[in-house]
Amino acid sequence: MKKLYDNATTALDGLLHDDILIAAGGFGLCGIPELLLQAIKDSGVKDLTFASNNAGVDDFGIGILLASKQVRKMMSSYVGENAEFMRQYLEGELEVEFNPQGTLAERMRAGGAGIPGFYTKTGVGTQIADGKEHKDFDGETYIMERGIFADLAIIKAWKADETGNLIFRKTARNFNVPAGMCGKVCVAEVEEIVPTGSLDPDGIHLPGIYVHRLIKGDHEKRIEQRTTRKKEAV
Amino acid sequence: MPWDRNQMAERAAQELEDGMYVNLGIGIPTLVANYVGDKDITLQSENGMLGMGPFPYEGEEDADLINAGKQTITELNRTAYFDSATSFGMIRGGKIAAAILGAMEVAENGDLANWMIPGKLVKGMGGAMDLVAGVRRVIVVMDHTNKHGDSKLLKECTLPLTGAGVVDRIITNLGVLDVVEGGLKIVETADGVTEEDIHAATEATIV
């Protein structure tokens, strides 16, 4: 099966419709599928729901889709690095479902693993637990959270082989693995595609079974908070 | 004299023991890393890293290497990377020995509020709810009172909770208090601060 596509637009061909649920990898601006997000913007689809830990910044990441009002709902753990996001949210134009970060990650992983619901103690006794099933196990109370089954997953990896086996680099792995798992179709953008057989099979982070389409592209890889220390004078 | 930010961080560092895996929150908790001395402490960053190193030198920043505050950082020879589901698996699963984090309010029963103020901008809880629910020991580092001089150690939290009954120890500019049966117990006072000073600045029951 051919997984390689020429660019982000052709890789998304036939997958984009109004009102779908898209799981997106990345943490902040680290490891986000920036090329696929741009192609989704260019497609003009609207009323999208994104399961994504963050919402980008005004001119990068999911922020570009907020600016063009293509997003109806965000399922996220932390937002607000983004003025347009906050404006739409405060005006009631954008629905936000806050999820604890680990709950969001596990909801994606669970969806990808065929698990429709699971119990966690995260959020017990908080407003996150309101309306959710509570259950005691061994004397401790847990709440039920639902697995996420996304119509489409978009992720970004460092290297792929031609069969879609993926390797991520450093902390850019983050949500890309669980997001990639929970999509009915997963499209991955990578920095480098190597010939099949040249990746160490013991070192694959996301096996190609989860990855249906693949593109190589040039990434800006923007840094959100550039923090450094000074070299001490020798 | 009450402790300043650095002295609070230095005191918090005394909570850490050799061999611990620890998650530090944003703000004063981040400064704790400066005071661990030669203790063998491994810092977890919940975006997917164990063994977090210091900020990079200028020109050596790597867009693929950030902490949970989205700041550029470096790796160490012990570093391990993993995905977000695995990261919160180790948090929820009780593998992390301690979390040190800031707070807006703590109640005498250990309730913690640090993620939203109704009517004000809500940015989200990030990983805070998972951390306080899953980490074995939760240590709060914060000023004893807010900018209006009101106690942040309360009988009951007024703000929406991050976790219920989750706090073990509170380190403030005035001293150290533990959450115990029936209220808070003064463990230590800052130099020149008396127990009476802490009583006067605290709404929560002190036992």
Side-chain angles (χ1 to χ4, degrees):
Chain A
M1 188 175 72
K2 180 185 170 297
K3 294 187 178 180
L4 299 185
Y5 286 73
D6 291 336
N7 57 55
T9 302
T10 56
L12 291 167
D13 187 39
L15 302 179
L16 296 177
H17 310 281
D18 291 352
D19 204 29
I20 60 170
L21 169 58
I22 302 176
F27 180 93
L29 301 182
C30 180
I32 59 171
E34 52 179 88
L35 305 173
L36 292 161
L37 288 168
Q38 181 64 49
I40 292 170
K41 176 180 189 281
D42 296 342
S43 79
V45 287
K46 59 184 192 303
D47 291 327
L48 300 172
T49 297
F50 271 95
S52 169
N53 190 54
N54 311 97
V57 295
D58 277 319
D59 62 342
F60 200 60
I62 290 175
I64 61 172
L65 289 150
L66 292 162
S68 54
K69 304 220 168 99
Q70 290 167 268
V71 183
R72 181 173 61 78
K73 179 178 175 183
M74 292 295 308
M75 301 161 73
S76 304
S77 86
Y78 193 84
V79 297
E81 314 295 349
N82 184 330
E84 176 61 14
F85 179 100
M86 295 319 282
R87 191 199 65 73
Q88 290 183 22
Y89 175 38
L90 293 171
E91 298 287 322
E93 295 170 21
L94 179 69
E95 188 183 339
V96 181
E97 177 194 301
F98 283 115
N99 284 249
Q101 193 174 136
T103 295
L104 183 63
E106 188 65 13
R107 290 183 66 192
M108 291 180 180
R109 195 201 69 81
I115 296 172
F118 59 91
Y119 293 95
T120 176
K121 60 188 170 185
T122 300
V124 171
T126 76
Q127 64 182 47
I128 293 301
D130 291 349
K132 288 176 184 162
E133 184 199 330
H134 287 59
K135 187 165 172 147
D136 287 359
F137 293 89
D138 303 324
E140 192 156 5
T141 303
Y142 297 76
I143 54 174
M144 191 183 76
E145 296 280 2
R146 299 292 306 270
I148 291 174
F149 300 87
D151 298 300
L152 171 66
I154 54 171
I155 62 172
K156 190 259 168 189
W158 181 37
K159 285 184 183 178
D161 68 15
E162 293 153 328
T163 74
N165 289 321
L166 300 185
I167 294 178
F168 301 89
R169 186 170 173 274
K170 303 186 187 288
T171 56
R173 194 181 319 182
N174 56 55
F175 274 83
N176 281 298
V177 170
M181 290 173 69
C182 78
K184 290 191 189 103
V185 181
C186 172
V187 184
E189 58 180 71
V190 302
E191 295 178 46
E192 185 181 357
I193 297 175
V194 300
T196 299
S198 52
L199 293 179
D200 176 1
D202 274 328
I204 304 297
H205 298 143
L206 187 66
I209 190 168
Y210 292 105
V211 180
H212 305 92
R213 301 185 184 186
L214 194 59
I215 59 158
K216 175 190 173 304
D218 294 322
H219 293 84
E220 176 185 336
K221 301 216 298 188
R222 194 181 294 188
I223 291 176
E224 197 163 347
Q225 305 261 0
R226 189 177 295 274
T227 45
T228 59
R229 64 191 152 128
K230 294 255 188 254
K231 267 198 177 125
E232 290 172 28
V234 181
Chain B
M1 282 284 286
W3 287 325
D4 63 20
R5 288 164 57 89
N6 284 303
Q7 289 169 312
M8 289 160 72
E10 188 174 6
R11 177 60 190 80
Q14 291 174 24
E15 301 292 317
L16 305 182
E17 294 165 21
D18 225 30
M20 275 187 171
Y21 291 87
V22 177
N23 185 293
L24 301 179
I26 292 166
I28 298 174
T30 305
L31 302 174
V32 173
N34 299 336
Y35 298 101
V36 296
D38 55 7
K39 281 186 278 199
D40 183 35
I41 303 294
T42 304
L43 297 179
Q44 200 245 19
S45 189
E46 66 265 27
N47 54 316
M49 179 183 200
L50 276 168
M52 181 165 55
F55 294 146
Y57 293 121
E58 276 177 47
E60 296 178 5
E61 308 92 322
D62 184 337
D64 290 336
L65 183 45
I66 64 169
N67 63 18
K70 292 153 192 159
Q71 298 169 311
T72 47
I73 48 160
T74 55
E75 64 187 21
L76 304 171
N77 59 9
R78 71 176 58 186
T79 295
Y81 298 111
F82 33 83
D83 68 75
S84 298
T86 305
S87 180
F88 282 93
M90 67 184 70
I91 289 169
R92 206 185 297 104
K95 312 302 178 188
I96 307 286
I100 301 178
L101 68 174
M104 297 193 266
E105 295 177 346
V106 177
E108 63 191 41
N109 64 353
D111 287 359
L112 167 71
N114 72 353
W115 81 281
M116 74 173 284
I117 301 174
K120 292 205 174 165
L121 215 57
V122 182
K123 292 191 165 190
M125 70 293 283
M129 283 192 183
D130 310 275
L131 281 159
V132 299
V135 166
R136 295 206 297 276
R137 183 167 166 80
V138 174
I139 300 158
V140 166
V141 181
M142 66 175 189
D143 282 330
H144 208 94
T145 55
N146 64 23
K147 61 185 176 205
H148 306 297
D150 302 324
S151 177
K152 293 173 70 174
L153 287 66
L154 304 173
K155 292 190 185 304
E156 283 181 31
C157 289
T158 64
L159 297 170
L161 297 187
T162 307
V166 294
V167 176
D168 296 291
R169 175 164 279 196
I170 310 153
I171 297 170
T172 77
N173 51 326
L174 300 184
V176 181
L177 299 96
D178 276 351
V179 177
V180 297
E181 191 69 36
L184 305 181
K185 183 173 186 292
I186 299 172
V187 176
E188 192 178 322
T189 57
D191 291 339
V193 173
T194 65
E195 295 207 5
E196 288 68 36
D197 294 332
I198 291 183
H199 276 269
T202 307
E203 184 206 285
T205 308
I206 295 177
V207 296

